[in-house]
Amino acid sequence: MSSANPHAWSEHARAVLARAGRQRGGARERVIELLARQPCALSAVEIEDELRARGEATGRASIYRVLDLLVEHGLAERVTVGQGQARFETVDPTGEHHHHLICERCGRLVAFDDPGLERAIDRVGQRLGMRVERHDVLLRGACERCE
Amino acid sequence: MSSANPHAWSEHARAVLARAGRQRGGARERVIELLARQPCALSAVEIEDELRARGEATGRASIYRVLDLLVEHGLAERVTVGQGQARFETVDPTGEHHHHLICERCGRLVAFDDPGLERAIDRVGQRLGMRVERHDVLLRGACERCE
DNA sequence: ATAGGAACGAGAATCAGTCTCATATTGTGG
DNA sequence: CCACAATATGAGACTGATTCTCGTTCCTAT
């Protein structure tokens, strides 16, 4: 789930990085632009392939660097959906966040948010005396279309 | 978190696999026995090393095969904690399950369960019209010791 | 005891992700 | 506009986990 306005996110991302003293660069620009217009999380390999397909081939190392940088600055989130690869998606500047639900029939990945779930997680953290800084929730099952 | 009674789990696992028409075999037996007595999730590599250390060296392919088989039959669960490797742990035959909380300072992995969280997840599924068959929850932060 | 399907194991292959290092860009101060 | 120092980039080697291949060995129902 990218922000409703892809442009807003990419602008925001550029601003945050500039403020952090980062110079601009082609690879970064390409990754940011691509990520900005995605409806849901992409893996690094998908990004690499997609950029190459568009004739904007970009070094793998740069892609991972940009992704790390975005995550580090809270601009993107690393989503671990499957077994072996991480996916990345933009984080809404307003701070809203969400979780995913994956249909094990068709592979569709859907984002959702739920205040009740967030509250339940907060309570767990308190109960266990742990400072929960982040949490990943992934629901697996059959989506409406596949049921 | 294995079942309170490791013996019960390994017996159960053997029974389920026998019922499924699987033959017995040394590698499987070794992995099941090892898994049965673990307090928490082990990675495939840890299993391989631990077995070798005990003089029960077992082929890597067999370990992964056994693990897949266990997951397939609902006897074990794949827990994706970090970036690059999966961990596996026994699933209690009674159906009870739990989630994990990882301390990002010391790497300690702790299991917990929480009915409130389960209820919140059920509600999300209903609200979204999805049949949620499984769910993964991972809380990341600082544990009491590290805070 | 034996045939045929399972299970095994060694090691090669794959795949995501990381690292290295030489080169190219960027932005600042002059 | 120029030089320079900091940063960004890319090719490709490398790593570590997992998967694949395939010949061998083990089970178990006749």
Side-chain angles (χ1 to χ4, degrees), chain A residues 101-102 104-105 112-114 124 127-131 133-138 140-142 147, chain B residues 101-102 104-105 112-114 124 127-128 130-131 133-142 144 147:
Chain A
L101 179 157
I102 186 167
E104 296 195 314
R105 309 288 187 284
F112 70 88
D113 59 19
D114 189 273
V124 171
R127 176 162 78 77
L128 301 175
M130 180 188 191
R131 181 143 45 81
E133 293 158 352
R134 288 185 298 125
H135 55 266
D136 306 338
V137 175
L138 179 63
R140 304 169 179 278
E147 244 188 323
Chain B
L101 181 156
I102 186 166
E104 298 194 314
R105 307 291 186 283
F112 71 87
D113 60 18
D114 188 274
V124 171
R127 175 162 79 77
L128 301 176
M130 180 188 191
R131 181 142 45 79
E133 293 159 350
R134 288 184 300 127
H135 54 266
D136 305 337
V137 175
L138 179 63
L139 308 187
R140 304 169 180 278
E144 324 102 286
E147 242 189 322

Side-chain angles (χ1 to χ4, degrees), chain B residues 38-84:
Chain B
Q38 293 309 312
C40 207
L42 279 187
S43 71
V45 173
E46 286 166 351
I47 292 173
E48 186 177 6
D49 292 347
E50 175 63 22
L51 289 178
R52 184 177 323 104
R54 290 192 190 189
E56 302 183 332
T58 299
R60 187 174 314 145
S62 298
I63 292 173
Y64 282 103
R65 267 189 301 249
V66 173
L67 258 10
D68 283 350
L69 192 64
L70 293 174
V71 170
E72 217 169 89
H73 287 272
L75 296 164
E77 193 180 1
R78 179 178 266 113
V79 178
T80 311
V81 163
Q83 38 298 57

Side-chain angles (χ1 to χ4, degrees), chain A residues 97-99 112-123 135 137, chain B residues 120:
Chain A
H97 77 183
H98 59 268
H99 298 293
F112 70 88
D113 59 19
D114 189 273
L117 180 57
E118 301 300 324
R119 277 194 298 275
I121 288 172
D122 287 345
R123 278 195 294 267
H135 55 266
V137 175

Side-chain angles (χ1 to χ4, degrees), chain A residues 46-82:
Chain A
E46 286 166 351
I47 292 172
E48 186 176 5
D49 292 347
E50 175 63 21
L51 288 177
R52 186 177 320 106
R54 291 191 190 187
E56 302 184 332
T58 298
R60 186 176 318 143
S62 298
I63 293 174
Y64 282 104
R65 267 189 301 246
V66 172
L67 258 11
D68 283 350
L69 194 63
L70 293 174
V71 169
E72 217 169 89
H73 288 273
L75 295 164
E77 194 179 2
R78 179 178 266 112
V79 179
T80 311
V81 162

